Amino acid sequence: AQKVTQAQTEISVVEKEDVTLDCVYETRDTTYYLFWYKQPPSGELVFLIRRNSFDEQNEISGRYSWNFQKSTSSFNFTITASQVVDSAVYFCALSEARDSNYQLIWGAGTKLIIKP
Amino acid sequence: DGGITQSPKYLFRKEGQNVTLSCEQNLNHDAMYWYRQDPGQGLRLIYYSQIVNDFQKGDIAEGYSVSREKKESFPLTVTSAQKNPTAFYLCASSISLGQPQHFGDGTRLSIL
């Protein structure tokens, strides 16, 4: 069965530290998509990245980077030089191509607290 | 600016009452979704719609109903059959199924 695990319920770091949020997934499909979303205190979810299963290249976008490793079924998210504005709940999600409706399977989220 | 508008931001329901949550998008997206979020949990899919006049049940559709008469609008009704409706409800849309979803600001529903 497909599943997404975000084992870190809450992480607290001091501003300017680097922080990595873990995401481990389970799927039997060979074609799938992985997502990260950010949910700030205001409540709306903000799309950060989508990665398909055939693209294992790491991605960097400013202070954000993602490490996709199929060998360990992980899609970890790192924030470099964290800032207070990065405080939010971050969700990892999976959708499988064999599900023609591409429903997202969501992790439980990791609450990130950046202290000034 | 294009986006998704959910209203109201806060909603209170009395026992035995149906309430309707509004979701409007001007992104010209075909697909729309309703999720429920409970504290400390991920999102759970209530209903989704791939295209106008079509919608499908998600994982927790019982006690909820939707309509999709217009491309821009996907209202969610929380019926009296939903015994534990207190939650944060999020509406989303995407160009098509499987594409990144864009979310509204959410509606927080509570019981009086």
Side-chain angles (χ1 to χ4, degrees):
Chain A
Q2 62 273 44
K3 187 178 174 182
V4 176
T5 302
Q6 294 180 257
Q8 304 149 308
T9 305
E10 184 174 305
I11 301 174
S12 180
V13 300
V14 177
E15 198 172 22
K16 296 183 185 172
E17 287 185 16
D18 299 347
V19 58
T20 296
L21 283 61
D22 298 332
C23 174
V24 175
Y25 61 92
E26 295 176 30
T27 178
R28 286 187 234 172
D29 207 347
T30 55
T31 304
Y32 52 89
Y33 301 90
L34 294 162
F35 299 78
W36 275 96
Y37 283 84
K38 172 182 179 180
Q39 186 177 36
S42 53
E44 83 283 11
L45 271 80
V46 178
F47 166 73
L48 296 178
I49 190 172
R50 181 180 83 153
R51 175 53 52 89
N52 76 58
S53 53
F54 297 108
D55 182 2
E56 284 194 75
Q57 278 197 343
N58 290 335
E59 174 133 355
I60 298 174
S61 176
R63 296 184 295 106
Y64 294 174
S65 62
W66 290 268
N67 183 1
F68 177 29
Q69 293 202 352
K70 287 176 79 169
S71 60
T72 56
S73 296
S74 65
F75 186 43
N76 295 339
F77 173 32
T78 297
I79 301 175
T80 303
S82 61
Q83 299 176 2
V84 172
V85 293
D86 295 327
S87 297
V89 180
Y90 290 86
F91 290 96
C92 181
L94 162 75
S95 74
E96 297 173 317
R98 67 175 176 174
D99 176 356
S100 59
N101 296 317
Y102 290 95
Q103 285 193 34
L104 285 175
I105 298 110
W106 296 82
T110 296
K111 184 176 183 179
L112 178 62
I113 300 169
I114 310 296
K115 299 177 186 174
Chain B
D1 280 358
I4 299 175
T5 302
Q6 288 188 242
S7 62
K9 196 171 178 69
Y10 299 94
L11 187 58
F12 298 91
R13 194 191 90 169
K14 294 179 182 178
E15 292 286 339
Q17 186 182 43
N18 293 352
V19 292
T20 297
L21 284 61
S22 170
C23 177
E24 304 278 332
Q25 55 101 357
N26 59 5
L27 299 166
N28 201 32
H29 286 173
D30 282 321
M32 296 188 74
Y33 314 80
W34 273 105
Y35 291 95
R36 170 179 171 140
Q37 185 178 26
D38 293 283
Q41 296 188 32
L43 279 67
R44 292 185 290 168
L45 183 65
I46 304 172
Y47 270 97
Y48 65 98
S49 168
Q50 186 173 356
I51 202 166
V52 176
N53 292 322
D54 175 76
F55 51 83
Q56 304 293 330
K57 292 182 180 179
D59 299 321
I60 55 165
E62 186 174 348
Y64 301 97
S65 66
V66 294
S67 63
R68 185 86 188 277
E69 297 174 1
K70 297 186 300 181
K71 187 175 186 177
E72 306 79 30
S73 179
F74 192 41
L76 173 74
T77 297
V78 184
T79 74
S80 56
Q82 173 49 247
K83 297 306 178 188
N84 184 24
T86 297
F88 187 54
Y89 291 86
L90 284 156
C91 178
S93 71
S94 62
I95 293 172
S96 60
L97 293 180
Q99 296 299 317
Q101 295 177 21
H102 299 263
F103 285 79
D105 291 344
T107 294
R108 198 166 296 279
L109 176 62
S110 302
I111 297 297
L112 282 177

